[in-house]
């Protein structure tokens, strides 16, 4: 499958697989508070995203990944944050070398309030 963006080449499967490994490591490093390890996964030292980088004491947050889907220069990770038990979806963009170039985090919309039927 080709990228939707003109002029961009789809990376090889090796690069995509490397990016998946980097995503898994990023969560591990963030959960343990290893910011140097985390920074080593970033492309050219670019910031990855405020939600993902939000600092706290090591162990204050834990990412429980339930699924990772990857194709080309995109890796999507789905999971739950503990102890908040809040679900999230992170969409990562990879560099040509499989390093993490960017990330956008999404949270599900809150459930609408229950509506009582009128009789």
């Amino acid at each position: 499958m080709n990228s939707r963006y003109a002029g961009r080449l789809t990376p090889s499967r090796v690069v995509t697989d490397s990016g998946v490994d980097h995503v898994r490591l990023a969560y591990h490093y963030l959960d343990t508070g290893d910011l140097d390890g985390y920074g080593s996964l970033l492309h050219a030292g670019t910031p990855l995203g405020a939600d993902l980088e939000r600092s706290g004491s090591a162990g204050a947050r834990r990412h429980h990944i339930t699924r990772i889907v990857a194709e080309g220069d995109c890796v999507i990770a789905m999971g739950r944050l503990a102890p908040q038990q809040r679900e999230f979806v992170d969409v990562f963009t990879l560099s040509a070398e499989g390093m993490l170039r960017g990330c956008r985090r999404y949270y599900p919309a809150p459930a609408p309030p229950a509506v009582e039927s009128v009789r």
Side-chain angles (χ1 to χ4, degrees), residues 102-117:
C103 179
R104 183 165 290 210
R105 176 164 284 178
Y106 297 93
Y107 296 103
V115 177
E116 293 183 31
S117 62

Side-chain angles (χ1 to χ4, degrees), residues 6 53 65 75 79 89 114 118:
E53 291 181 333
I65 305 306
V75 178
V89 174
V118 179

Side-chain angles (χ1 to χ4, degrees), residues 1-11 71-74:
M1 185 168 149
N2 293 331
S3 176
R4 293 185 205 185
Y5 303 102
R8 286 177 66 179
L9 297 175
T10 303
E71 184 174 335
D73 64 351
C74 181

